[in-house]
Amino acid sequence: NNAEYGGDITWSYKGSSLSDDGSSIMMESSAFTDNTITYTLTIADATPESNNGEYECKVDFNDGDSIESSTTVVVRRATVIDTDGSTLSNIVVDSGELEAKCQFLGTSAPGSVTWYKY
């Protein structure tokens, strides 16, 4: 909901409305600058089984107009990279942004982490 700017925002997944629960599903909006506002949907711990599919963002303006946009999201499982670095995987992002998280499990933290773009 963003009534301050004259409308309401609705996110849906496969036709069902989504709600911000503050942990697994979060919805945010940027400041209104240069006649632009950015709405962001973040889903924590996404899995292919639960989160692949079509997402839609719809804005209903107070004057009765509306605008909507949708995209198909493909969630891929991360590949664990062995300690010798032998296992790698390719992740393809068709459009938008890629957020990558590097998580370590072990008895000591590595001295550094390096990301490569090929």
Side-chain angles (χ1 to χ4, degrees), residues 30-95:
S30 69
F32 187 71
T33 333
D34 297 326
N35 291 328
T36 302
I37 190 166
T38 301
Y39 298 97
T40 305
L41 171 68
T42 303
I43 299 174
D45 301 321
T47 64
E49 298 81 13
S50 299
N51 305 106
N52 276 348
E54 187 166 345
Y55 287 81
E56 181 179 270
C57 172
K58 182 177 181 184
V59 180
D60 291 310
F61 297 98
N62 293 337
D63 64 4
D65 283 342
S66 67
I67 188 170
E68 60 187 71
S69 180
S70 64
T71 188
T72 300
V73 174
V74 177
V75 178
R76 306 225 186 256
R77 291 205 183 278
T79 298
V80 175
I81 299 174
D82 202 325
T83 54
D84 67 2
S86 62
T87 306
L88 297 173
S89 67
N90 295 321
I91 299 174
V92 178
V93 177
D94 186 37
S95 63

Side-chain angles (χ1 to χ4, degrees), residues 3-25:
E4 180 179 354
Y5 298 108
D8 292 317
I9 180 92
T10 306
W11 288 96
S12 60
Y13 170 63
K14 293 183 179 178
S16 297
S17 183
L18 297 173
S19 299
D20 188 328
D21 64 14
S23 59
S24 63
I25 298 177

